[in-house]
Amino acid sequence: MNRSTTLAEELAVRGITRREFLKFCTIMAGVLALPVDRAARIARALETVRRPPVIWLHFQECTGCTESLLRANRPTVAELVLDVLSLNYLETIMAPAGHAAEKSLHDTIQEGGYITIVEGSIPTADDGIYCCIAGRTALDILKEVAANTAAIITVGACAFYGGWPSTPPNPTGAKGVKDIISGVPIVNLSGCPPNVDNITATVVHYLTFNELPALDDLGRPLFAHGRRIHDNCERRGHFDAGEFVEAWGDEGHRNGWCLYRMGCKGPVAFMNCPSIRWNEGTSWPVGAGHGCIACGAPNFWEMPAYEPVPIHVLTPPTTYPEVEPVKEMSPITAGVIGAAVGVAAGVAGAVAVSQIAKKEE
Amino acid sequence: MAQKIVIDPITRIEGHLRIEARIEDGRVAEAWASGTMFRGLEIILKGRDPREAWLMAQRI
């Protein structure tokens, strides 16, 4: 793709219908939690945008985040949008190697105005020798690239806070980008790995509105990290009913009951996995029968994966609001029925709670 | 005449790799491959709950 062409021109060349393109824009508006009418604005912006150059740095990583990116589940258009980015430097897929690869990096840095995507943590112990590329440390490279960049997007838990390399005793002094770089806009696409739809949506937001999406206090996009997994989980009904998996493969597990007692971290995890899902939208970890490990949270490796997480504030209510439509009736009748419903709900709630308490004993 | 070639980074692979080769009369006489990144998973896994080992090891 030529840097001077727009996405609209590329779509025409590649035979992608306008209908397909608008569908993609609408899905992106959905992922970004924007009103549907913003899809038109996204479409207009993407049609005219020129390619911003991108440097994608790999440090202490497993390439799982790149793999996640390569799994774009709406390939025809999503690939193109990511193609709109001029990936001037991405070791995993770039054709040049050695000096030729480093030349692309240096030329892009000199040009300036690029977006930097960082994958992997940065080792700081022993002068940073635990990750070297072309004879230079990750620490040196990051500082040089950050000095001239427009913005940094960290992908994955490692670039966010240090990830598993930083798990105690943190042998290499691994750190996240936000612990090293300041004075540059940073958006943290946490998750181990982050979902490609969230990566794409962040890029789309940047291209459409020319700014990074709204962030939470950890620098993570609110559209992806604003909601608790537990509150949007398809197994939540089983939690509220006190139906828990007690052992792998037991009746509850086979019936898709709540995984809380198997260590699910859904109650303390803020991600949009239950709604956008994984693998072309087919499933997600809890859907597949394993608890969430809260991979978007900082220091999540320090929470024991198979021990229940404390959730005192999140236990189900003892009573539920009335769900039957209220018919017109005399105030006295209403009062009597209301009291009876209240008692019945109270009893049902008490039974549910006593069942949970029993199972916990 | 001996000549030394260094290719770093090797691209289109997963991970970090450096190759050095000593060339003599147009042929590779000696070659060295180095993994240039270390995280210390073996050290991190020591003393942890064994049920979690696969979660970390799959992310190597």
Side-chain angles (χ1 to χ4, degrees):
Chain A
M1 194 167 167
N2 189 313
R3 186 166 179 177
S4 61
T5 57
T6 66
L7 184 66
E9 289 158 358
E10 277 300 314
L11 287 168
V13 168
R14 300 197 191 187
I16 288 162
T17 63
R18 179 148 181 88
R19 182 185 173 82
E20 207 171 337
F21 173 63
L22 290 177
K23 193 173 149 194
F24 169 83
C25 294
T26 310
I27 290 167
M28 281 299 117
V31 173
L32 285 165
L34 295 171
V36 166
D37 60 1
R38 296 293 165 83
R41 186 163 165 195
I42 291 173
R44 274 199 304 277
L46 292 185
E47 277 171 335
T48 52
V49 74
R50 307 281 163 179
R51 312 172 70 192
V54 168
I55 293 175
W56 187 304
L57 297 172
H58 288 258
F59 295 138
Q60 286 179 300
E61 44 81 304
C62 67
T63 319
C65 299
T66 300
E67 289 291 334
S68 181
L69 174 81
L70 298 175
R71 298 290 178 276
N73 62 352
R74 292 170 242 287
T76 42
V77 189
E79 265 173 21
L80 266 181
V81 168
L82 297 169
D83 229 15
V84 167
L85 302 172
S86 174
L87 278 170
N88 292 9
Y89 187 86
L90 200 180
E91 289 163 34
T92 314
I93 59 173
M94 69 193 299
H99 294 302
E102 292 311 293
K103 188 179 182 303
S104 303
L105 178 62
H106 295 138
D107 290 352
T108 310
I109 292 173
Q110 288 208 323
E111 232 174 274
Y114 47 89
I115 300 172
T116 303
I117 298 181
V118 182
E119 179 177 351
S121 52
I122 301 97
T124 59
D126 302 317
D127 298 323
I129 57 162
Y130 297 110
C131 181
C132 291
I133 299 153
R136 298 173 63 208
T137 65
L139 200 56
D140 276 355
I141 296 168
L142 176 65
K143 283 177 180 170
E144 186 193 350
V145 171
N148 228 6
T149 193
I152 300 178
I153 300 173
T154 70
V155 291
C158 299
F160 167 40
Y161 78 89
W164 83 237
S166 73
T167 308
N170 193 355
T172 60
K175 287 185 176 176
V177 172
K178 66 181 168 59
D179 305 317
I180 295 168
I181 300 298
S182 56
V184 179
I186 300 176
V187 53
N188 294 308
L189 273 173
S190 192
C192 189
N195 194 310
V196 66
D197 281 348
N198 290 338
I199 301 174
T200 314
T202 302
V203 169
V204 164
H205 191 285
Y206 184 80
L207 295 176
T208 303
F209 304 106
N210 206 22
E211 62 180 20
L212 295 170
L215 306 176
D216 67 7
D217 54 356
L218 294 168
R220 306 177 302 178
L222 277 170
F223 74 82
H225 295 276
R227 289 179 178 192
R228 197 192 308 275
I229 283 194
H230 190 57
D231 295 342
N232 294 282
C233 180
E234 66 228 24
R235 299 186 182 215
R236 176 61 185 262
H238 294 293
F239 177 89
D240 290 345
E243 294 173 336
F244 294 102
V245 178
E246 305 285 351
W248 303 118
D250 71 1
E251 195 194 348
H253 197 212
R254 291 198 298 276
N255 287 333
W257 286 2
C258 176
L259 292 155
Y260 170 71
R261 289 193 178 157
M262 303 308 286
C264 181
K265 303 292 180 289
V268 295
F270 291 80
M271 294 270 286
N272 56 358
C273 303
S275 47
I276 64 169
R277 305 163 86 85
W278 290 76
N279 293 342
E280 304 194 9
T282 53
S283 191
W284 64 298
V286 171
H290 189 280
C292 164
I293 59 171
C295 70
N299 306 316
F300 74 96
W301 288 111
E302 289 167 54
M303 290 189 276
Y306 296 103
E307 301 298 331
V309 67
I311 47 165
H312 304 299
V313 293
L314 294 163
T315 45
T318 52
T319 57
Y320 290 92
E322 197 175 327
V323 290
E324 294 295 325
V326 180
K327 289 174 191 158
E328 272 188 45
M329 55 185 76
S330 75
I332 296 166
T333 323
V336 171
I337 294 175
V341 168
V343 169
V347 169
V351 169
V353 168
S354 72
Q355 280 173 346
I356 293 172
K358 216 176 190 177
K359 283 181 181 173
E360 274 172 353
E361 278 163 11
Chain B
M1 198 184 95
Q3 185 194 1
K4 196 175 175 192
I5 297 176
V6 178
I7 307 173
D8 180 10
I10 299 284
T11 54
R12 281 156 288 148
I13 57 156
E14 186 277 313
H16 298 280
L17 183 66
R18 173 189 178 97
I19 297 288
E20 295 169 68
R22 191 169 59 79
I23 314 295
E24 266 181 21
D25 303 325
R27 288 173 184 275
V28 175
E30 276 186 292
W32 300 267
S34 339
T36 57
M37 188 270 282
F38 173 78
R39 289 163 295 177
L41 178 67
E42 299 83 352
I43 301 166
I44 294 169
L45 276 179
K46 268 187 196 169
R48 282 182 74 93
D49 185 338
R51 292 174 298 174
E52 294 173 4
W54 73 276
L55 283 172
M56 296 197 108
Q58 72 175 190
R59 287 165 162 89
I60 290 172

